[in-house]
Amino acid sequence: MPDHADRPNRKDRTGRLTGRQIDGHIVLVGLPGAGKTTVGRAVAKALRRPFLDFDVEIERRAGMPVARIFAERGEVAFREMEVALTRELAAAPPMVLSPGGGWVTNAGVIELLRPPGYLIHLLVSPAEALRRLSRSRVVRPLLAQADPSIKMQALWEARAGLYGKADMVLNVEVVEPQRITDSIVALAHGRTPEIG
């Protein structure tokens, strides 16, 4: 068992000093458009850890896009795929994970990865999330709604409490991506992050 005594202290979600680096998965959660994939890739590269985007992996396994899975098999089938993937990852070496925005709605998934996994909520307002999605080249079923802002607000209201179970919250709306990345990397090494 490595000795963490010489590592700088940091606070966990209860405010206690831990002084330990993150030895499990780093799991980025938040609304669609929060930047989980972009930040996740950068953090994984900096930490020399594998990166896994849940939606990309599920699409690869299913042989079809997420939107088609929802249309042909339904949301329940998609959520079952998320849970199955999470179970597999529970025994995998430490990675940086980017599950979809609704992953947290699956009962028990957080507990499957934590501890030693560490959840970080990339906080963005529903309005900003929608603005970011509208600039994306990725086709999002969410934007096909008659009023996507109502849908995004509803998603936030349904999920905010679940995102609140994260170990740390980083407001990505007011901080540039590089500082977000640097803060997560510092946290992973047991140092005090710049923000959060």
Side-chain angles (χ1 to χ4, degrees):
M1 183 93 159
D3 181 6
H4 298 285
D6 60 341
R7 293 184 181 142
N9 288 327
R10 64 179 172 80
K11 293 182 180 179
D12 66 12
R13 66 192 195 119
T14 65
R16 293 177 303 210
L17 293 173
T18 65
R20 293 190 177 222
Q21 68 180 8
I22 300 171
D23 296 324
H25 297 304
I26 294 172
V27 187
L28 305 178
V29 299
L31 284 173
K36 298 182 295 293
T37 298
T38 302
V39 170
R41 280 196 184 113
V43 169
K45 183 177 180 183
L47 294 176
R48 295 190 176 103
R49 286 191 185 190
F51 170 73
L52 190 133
D53 180 306
F54 275 47
D55 287 356
V56 171
E57 179 61 16
I58 288 171
E59 286 180 342
R60 184 189 69 78
R61 293 179 181 201
M64 65 178 77
V66 168
R68 193 168 149 206
I69 296 171
F70 269 74
E72 294 184 7
R73 301 183 187 176
E75 183 176 356
V76 171
F78 177 77
R79 298 298 174 204
E80 288 171 354
M81 293 177 197
E82 285 185 317
V83 172
L85 179 56
T86 305
R87 282 200 175 99
E88 287 179 38
L89 292 168
M95 303 170 71
V96 177
L97 305 177
S98 172
W103 172 80
V104 293
T105 65
N106 295 305
V109 289
I110 293 174
E111 293 75 14
L112 282 171
L113 299 181
R114 187 178 69 188
Y118 196 87
L119 267 69
I120 299 173
H121 177 198
L122 300 185
L123 176 64
V124 65
S125 69
E128 175 61 15
L130 193 60
R131 188 182 71 78
R132 293 179 178 196
L133 289 179
S134 66
R135 293 182 314 184
S136 172
R137 288 177 291 182
V138 178
V139 177
R140 304 275 186 157
L142 179 68
L143 298 179
Q145 307 283 327
D147 189 342
S149 64
I150 292 175
K151 178 64 174 178
M152 184 67 82
Q153 184 63 38
L155 289 177
W156 170 250
E157 290 171 7
R159 298 173 182 173
L162 296 167
Y163 294 146
K165 293 182 176 182
D167 299 291
M168 171 168 274
V169 178
L170 296 176
N171 189 333
V172 297
E173 196 166 334
V174 296
V175 180
E176 61 190 35
Q178 187 58 52
R179 283 192 65 209
I180 295 288
T181 299
D182 292 346
S183 291
I184 296 172
V185 169
L187 185 69
H189 289 304
R191 300 192 303 268
T192 303
E194 291 180 23
I195 58 174

